[in-house]
Amino acid sequence: RVTNFYGNFFLRGSDLLALPNCDADATFAVEFSHEEKKVVQGAITVQTALLYTNSNGERRIRVLTNCIPVSPNASEVVESGNQDAICNLLAKKSVENVLKNGLEDARRKIQQQCVDTLRSYKSATSYGGGYSMPQQQQKQGLPASLNFFPLYTMALQK
């Protein structure tokens, strides 16, 4: 279920956005909530559609369908994370938080999100049922996909 949208748009319905301008550099984030207690399939499918008018005045529809792998193993989820996309979402959420609660609260939440993410990864890998990490990653405690995540979150706080 979609719980929140982030980006420059006007919300016209619970699942309908009006975009004033959409180009190759625009990013929009969608936050989902998971309501099932157990993952039974290996993937979920998310489909989006964009109705737009091109520069010649023609109306067109672009449909995007993504098949996203899911896993009940928390360490696999964290290891497959994209730190750039995660930080982009954190930045968008922080802007909303600054407007509602102020700058200090937004900074605290960015730091707490980083700590929570790394702590959950550490607990998932230490109780992962025989899961072993390479020796170098065991020393630093970070998956390769999130090597710069703490640095990026510190930059967001500035």
Side-chain angles (χ1 to χ4, degrees), residues 58-75:
E58 300 169 333
R59 300 285 283 176
R60 295 194 176 179
I61 296 177
R62 177 165 289 190
V63 178
L64 304 166
T65 304
N66 293 321
C67 187
I68 304 166
V70 295
S71 172
N73 187 347
S75 63

Side-chain angles (χ1 to χ4, degrees), residues 91-158:
K92 290 179 184 304
K93 290 176 80 169
S94 297
V95 167
E96 183 178 287
N97 196 10
V98 164
L99 295 174
K100 288 182 182 176
N101 303 323
L103 189 58
E104 286 304 314
D105 187 56
R107 286 180 174 157
R108 185 185 53 75
K109 285 190 178 182
I110 290 171
Q111 181 181 6
Q112 191 60 45
Q113 185 66 45
C114 179
V115 169
D116 289 346
T117 302
L118 298 178
R119 187 176 289 149
S120 66
Y121 174 75
K122 185 176 181 180
S123 68
T125 55
S126 39
Y127 305 116
Y131 179 80
S132 62
M133 295 188 309
Q135 190 67 20
Q136 184 181 11
Q137 287 182 359
Q138 286 180 353
K139 290 180 185 174
Q140 63 184 0
L142 294 173
S145 64
L146 296 179
N147 275 340
F148 295 109
F149 184 60
L151 178 68
Y152 289 172
T153 56
M154 286 177 58
L156 278 175
Q157 291 177 28
K158 298 290 180 189

Side-chain angles (χ1 to χ4, degrees), residues 11-71:
L11 191 60
R12 296 181 87 178
S14 63
D15 60 351
L16 182 62
L17 306 177
L19 310 174
N21 190 6
C22 188
D23 57 22
D25 296 327
T27 60
F28 303 95
V30 180
E31 197 170 30
F32 296 99
S33 69
H34 185 268
E35 296 174 352
E36 296 180 21
K37 295 185 189 225
K38 187 175 180 183
V39 177
V40 293
Q41 298 177 348
I44 61 168
T45 305
V46 177
Q47 188 172 54
T48 58
L50 176 66
L51 173 63
Y52 67 100
T53 305
N54 68 8
S55 59
N56 296 329
E58 300 169 333
R59 300 285 283 176
R60 295 194 176 179
I61 296 177
R62 177 165 289 190
V63 178
L64 304 166
T65 304
N66 293 321
C67 187
I68 304 166
V70 295
S71 172

